[in-house]
């Protein structure tokens, strides 16, 4: 998590955004959980996916293959417009990055879900040093959202 946090903070900063800036849509804070008063920031690091949800996802979506779980460590980056979207995408695809590499892109801007919802899900392999020497690569997820689409996500789930 600390390595991933450092990487995505650099990506957001390189895209000339402020990672801790609260996101607003139509002048209102964009909530993650309105009841708890938790709002999106430009960069929102999610808590680790819980064991029960990992088991459920591996069994139901991946035929019990836990190696396909790529979103245990994840974040959301929220932008306001297409220019910011392109800046973040460009920063993510930085070919000079030694600490990570993009290994997959699920581009739902190009192919939206049936209800019109769209975002981009980047799987990035993050280089992590291990105790005793050596390194491993861990796949994490970066979700890239437009604030206007995200603001209507909950209402679109009904359909």
């Amino acid at each position: 998590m600390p390595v991933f946090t450092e990487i995505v903070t650099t990506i957001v900063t390189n895209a000339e955004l402020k990672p801790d800036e609260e996101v607003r849509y139509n002048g209102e804070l964009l909530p993650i959980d309105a009841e708890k008063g938790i709002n999106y920031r430009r960069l929102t690091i999610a808590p680790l996916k819980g064991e029960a949800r990992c088991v459920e996802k591996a069994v139901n979506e991946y035929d019990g293959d836990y190696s396909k779980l790529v979103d245990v460590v994840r974040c959301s980056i929220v932008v306001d417009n297409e220019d910011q979207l392109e800046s973040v995408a460009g920063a993510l695809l930085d070919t000079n990055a030694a600490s990570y590499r993009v290994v997959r892109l699920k581009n739902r801007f190009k192919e939206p879900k049936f209800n019109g919802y769209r975002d981009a899900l980047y799987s990035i392999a993050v280089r992590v040093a291990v105790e005793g020497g050596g390194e491993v690569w861990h796949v994490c997820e970066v979700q890239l959202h437009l604030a206007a689409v995200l603001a209507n996500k909950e209402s679109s789930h009904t359909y």
Side-chain angles (χ1 to χ4, degrees):
M1 181 68 88
V3 174
F4 176 72
T5 299
E6 183 179 332
I7 289 168
V8 293
T9 299
T10 299
I11 288 167
V12 171
T13 303
N14 287 348
E16 299 183 6
L17 297 172
K18 297 175 183 168
D20 291 327
E21 179 184 8
E22 290 184 311
V23 178
R24 294 182 177 272
Y25 178 70
N26 287 339
E28 300 290 324
L29 290 172
L30 188 58
I32 295 172
D33 186 330
E35 289 179 12
K36 293 182 181 177
I38 302 170
N39 302 308
Y40 279 99
R41 298 187 179 281
R42 290 289 166 216
L43 173 61
T44 302
I45 305 291
L48 293 174
K49 184 167 284 199
E51 183 179 354
R53 178 65 180 124
C54 287
V55 170
E56 176 186 356
K57 192 168 185 178
V59 169
N60 295 338
E61 296 179 31
Y62 304 129
D63 247 356
D65 185 352
Y66 288 83
S67 70
K68 292 184 179 181
L69 287 173
V70 295
D71 62 347
V72 175
V73 178
R74 62 204 188 282
C75 74
S76 292
I77 299 172
V78 184
V79 299
D80 295 323
N81 55 53
E82 188 176 337
D83 289 340
Q84 291 176 345
L85 187 75
E86 288 179 358
S87 290
V88 172
L92 264 164
L93 296 172
D94 178 3
T95 56
N96 294 319
S99 58
Y100 77 94
R101 61 180 180 256
V102 175
V103 294
R104 183 182 80 170
L105 168 60
K106 184 187 259 186
N107 186 349
R108 295 192 298 206
F109 287 110
K110 184 176 179 180
E111 296 179 26
K113 294 180 86 170
F114 73 94
N115 60 2
Y117 183 76
R118 53 195 72 214
D119 59 10
L121 306 177
Y122 290 84
S123 296
I124 67 169
V126 175
R127 183 189 313 254
V128 181
V130 294
E131 196 172 308
E135 62 189 26
V136 296
W137 289 85
H138 183 79
V139 180
C140 308
E141 184 173 81
V142 176
Q143 303 172 2
L144 181 54
H145 305 280
L146 276 168
V149 175
L150 197 55
N152 294 294
K153 182 178 183 178
E154 289 305 314
S155 62
S156 72
H157 279 302
T158 304
Y159 305 104

